[in-house]
Amino acid sequence: MKETIEKYLKEVEAFSAGNLEQLEQFRIKFLSKKGLIPALFSEFKNVPPEDRKELGQLINSLKQAVQEKIVALKTEIEQKSETTSTDLDLTMPVTDNLGTRHPLSLVRNEIIDIFSRIGFSVSEGPEIEDDFHNFSALNFPEEHPARDMQDTFFIEKDPDILLRTHTSSVQVRVMENTQPPIRTLSPGRVFRNEAISARAHCIFHQVEGLYVDTHVSFADLKQTLYFFAREMFGQNTKTRFRPSYFPFTEPSAEMDISCNICGGKGCNICKYTGWVEILGCGMVDPNVLEACDIDSEKYTGFAFGMGIERIAMLKYRVNDLRLYFENDIRFLKQFRSAY
Ligand code: PHE
């Protein structure tokens, strides 16, 4: 009996299994009810008492060896099948899966880049604002319709806390904390209570600009924005200013550029006028400077604000605003760029 057990022990030691099926056969052979080890135990009953100790220990160590072998081989087989059953090839070069910047980020970066070349810095502020920074300091009369629930998402009433409707609020914060000269851009997300359609969204992005110093004139405003338009849309771009109204600027204007899609000949983007509006602007109202503790006798300034979606729409000819927010990979993939 001793020789048989030792023979089994060698067999167990040498055994290896390529798959779970073979391993199961091995288990049945040794451990099942009719297997070799139960057979040894029943034979053990006939062993003379003086040999019992030695043989008993031998059978037990055989049983243990079989059990350990099964556990070890099982883990080995499972690990092997995990790595071979997927088609992952980590050495494969990346081809079509490079990420891309979002078109709105591309356009925002380009706007910042253009203005930073003429000395503008970037300032950021909170998306949740109070009435003072979003409206009052900007010379919005108490009963102005833009404060109405229709346009503004209010978070709390009395005192009013709201989602900023423009990034002019950031410029109020800059003016409160810095004395001129100020030359800053505030890019950011803004919120207005509008029904979502191809042409309007309740979230969009702006870049607003502010320049305050001694002797800043409307001519400076025009020249700065003319420079921007040509850098952004090409050197042949023409600009025109139309009178407009904003509570925080006086005089106020809107700037159009010659339609970059039809080159000014007339198309459905420019509604056959040859011009498209890209931004609002004007000379900072003295009331705004005073609200921020800036001496309006000494300093003047200009401000402008544009929607990034609108600039991106003209640049990339995207005619539905909703595409910018849906994160459809087929849309985003088209904006490969080093920017
Ligand atoms: N804040 C204005 C808006 O959101 C844009 C603007 C900024 C207009 C500065 C004039 C001057 O519509």
Side-chain angles (χ1 to χ4, degrees), residues 138 140 165-169 171 190 192 204 206-209 221 245-246 248-249 252-254 279-284 302-306:
L138 289 161
F140 276 79
T165 59
H166 50 189
T167 57
S168 306
S169 55
Q171 313 198 323
V190 300
R192 290 186 197 175
F204 60 100
Q206 285 189 322
V207 177
E208 298 219 357
L221 162 84
Y245 171 78
F246 298 101
F248 33 89
T249 47
S252 303
E254 277 168 330
L279 55 82
C281 57
M283 301 305 293
V284 181
F302 69 73
F304 56 87
M306 66 188 100

Side-chain angles (χ1 to χ4, degrees), residues 260-272:
N260 70 318
I261 305 225
C262 63
K265 285 191 203 77
C267 67
N268 62 353
I269 298 289
C270 62
K271 302 201 193 78
Y272 302 95

